[in-house]
Amino acid sequence: MTEKQSDELLTVGVDLGGTKIEASVVDSTGNILTSHRCPTNPEKGPDGVITNIIECVKNCLGEISKPAPALGIGIAGQIEKDTGVVRFSPNLGWHDIPLRARLEEALQLPVIVTNDVRAATYGEWSYGAGQNVDDLICLFVGTGIGGSVVSGGKLLEGCRNSAGELGHITIVTNGRKCHCRNQGCLEAYAGGWAIGERAQEAARSDIKSGQPLITLAGSIEQITAATVTEAYKNGDLMAKQIVEETALYLAAGLVAVVNAFNPCLIVLGGGVIQGLPEYTPMAERIVRLHALETASEGLRIVTPALGNKAGVIGAAALARQNFQESKIVPGVETNTERTTGEKLEN
Ligand SMILES: [Zn+2]
């Protein structure tokens, strides 16, 4: 990608996923000037992954003609806000990795580390589907379910920076075992991994009706959420039932979220929804019937506007906001009270 002209402050946004690292230089209007992708290689451990991040960022910085003096990185996991330590990232297998300190030392830039869904939410809020809305919720239904809440013009962080884990709202008491320590979470029913598990169970209990799913996947054990989507599109009855049940579970979670936060807007995205957009109207119909009237009046449910770029754009925007607020000298820690919840005003 070639560099476009911009007089504004540039920042770097990084989306650290389980399989790939994406780094982009972004201007203050949310435009991506240049991007690089590298494999994550989590099997090489934190040192190997951090080396890949640094290389990916340096590739980006080498392609722009003016400095990009701050970096934001989104990662799936729990982050200690004041230190940028990754407390736990299940898909990387990381515990207590001082990611901010490591990147600041190597790149000589102030770095802000945030949760990936929060970065994507900040991107959609600043430049995407959530522009000019002060009360919005992002819910991303992929393999897992991630969420983030903007309320009264503030991105909610919570007491220990873990607010917005909407995938782990309990929708069934003593329900299906979740990947967290709870049972009956929204994710344990409507997350991609759970849709796959439920479909495998359905096929196993009724092999005859499950045959189209089994044939598509190759075996019962290989049935995934994507198999269900494909079979649904082929008109398969078992897949149809699984999809309709999934929409009910999704709606149950959304009703709880709408009643709790009274958003004007829900941005509903992620691989499962992208694969089968029918989930949105199916769930929305139930939300409109079951959520409190006052909580759902004026509610809009929309798809993300920035697609899979929301994470890098949001991380870069968070870095810009943090940089402008704190005026940190690169490499020198001067500000321990970083406020990241307020939206950047352009
Ligand atoms: Zn859970």
Side-chain angles (χ1 to χ4, degrees), residues 192-193 195-197 199-201 203-204 212-228 230:
W193 63 262
I195 296 172
E197 272 187 18
Q200 290 179 17
E201 287 164 19
R204 205 168 279 126
L213 280 168
I214 299 166
T215 305
L216 267 178
S219 68
I220 289 180
E221 292 71 29
Q222 288 172 291
I223 295 173
T224 64
T227 319
V228 175
E230 199 182 340

Side-chain angles (χ1 to χ4, degrees), residues 167-168 178-182 185 187:
H168 301 283
C178 189
H179 288 176
C180 75
R181 59 187 188 176
N182 193 20
C185 293
E187 178 176 307

Side-chain angles (χ1 to χ4, degrees), residues 8-312:
E8 306 290 342
L9 174 71
L10 305 181
T11 52
V12 185
V14 180
D15 191 0
L16 174 55
T19 55
K20 67 173 174 54
I21 299 159
E22 180 148 4
S24 299
V25 177
V26 181
D27 73 13
S28 63
T29 63
N31 275 321
I32 292 177
L33 304 186
T34 185
S35 282
H36 274 271
R37 271 187 187 189
C38 304
T40 306
N41 301 133
E43 71 283 358
K44 291 185 180 170
D47 286 348
V49 173
I50 290 169
T51 302
N52 290 353
I53 298 169
I54 292 163
E55 190 191 319
C56 205
V57 170
K58 282 184 172 170
N59 284 340
C60 277
L61 292 174
E63 284 180 1
I64 53 170
S65 55
K66 56 187 276 189
L71 182 144
I73 180 166
I75 169 173
Q78 290 142 20
I79 318 299
E80 200 170 73
K81 187 186 167 195
D82 291 338
T83 60
V85 169
V86 179
R87 294 286 306 278
F88 178 49
S89 176
N91 60 355
L92 296 177
W94 285 11
H95 290 271
D96 296 317
I97 303 299
L99 184 61
R100 188 176 92 193
R102 294 283 304 273
L103 294 178
E104 285 187 338
E105 190 191 347
L107 294 163
Q108 291 294 297
L109 294 171
V111 170
I112 181 160
V113 182
T114 190
N115 171 273
D116 61 343
V117 175
R118 217 176 275 174
T121 299
Y122 199 74
E124 288 290 343
W125 185 30
S126 300
Y127 304 113
Q131 287 182 72
N132 306 313
V133 177
D134 279 344
D135 293 275
L136 73 115
I137 283 166
C138 285
L139 192 73
F140 295 105
V141 185
T143 306
I145 298 184
S148 188
V149 178
V150 173
S151 185
K154 267 186 90 74
L155 191 55
L156 299 189
E157 294 177 336
C159 177
R160 285 283 185 270
N161 203 30
S162 76
E165 291 285 1
L166 305 177
H168 301 283
I169 288 174
T170 303
I171 58 167
V172 180
T173 47
N174 295 317
R176 300 180 66 86
K177 179 89 188 76
C178 189
H179 288 176
C180 75
R181 59 187 188 176
N182 193 20
Q183 283 173 268
C185 293
L186 172 60
E187 178 176 307
Y189 288 85
W193 63 262
I195 296 172
E197 272 187 18
R198 287 173 39 231
Q200 290 179 17
E201 287 164 19
R204 205 168 279 126
S205 67
D206 182 353
I207 300 269
K208 189 160 171 268
S209 304
Q211 201 54 54
L213 280 168
I214 299 166
T215 305
L216 267 178
S219 68
I220 289 180
E221 292 71 29
Q222 288 172 291
I223 295 173
T224 64
T227 319
V228 175
T229 293
E230 199 182 340
Y232 176 86
K233 288 175 178 170
N234 294 343
D236 176 56
L237 287 179
M238 182 176 275
K240 182 169 181 280
Q241 191 178 347
I242 293 162
V243 165
E244 286 170 357
E245 284 167 4
T246 304
L248 287 175
Y249 293 127
L250 195 56
L254 286 171
V255 166
V257 165
V258 167
N259 287 345
F261 297 106
N262 184 203
C264 304
L265 185 73
I266 293 176
V267 180
L268 189 58
V272 168
I273 306 291
Q274 248 179 329
L276 197 58
E278 288 93 327
Y279 277 123
T280 302
M282 288 164 92
E284 180 167 0
R285 191 180 61 78
I286 302 159
V287 170
R288 300 226 176 261
L289 286 172
H290 291 265
L292 291 169
E293 245 177 288
T294 46
S296 55
E297 273 170 9
L299 170 71
R300 289 182 300 131
I301 302 181
V302 301
T303 50
L306 303 180
N308 56 10
K309 301 293 178 194
V312 286

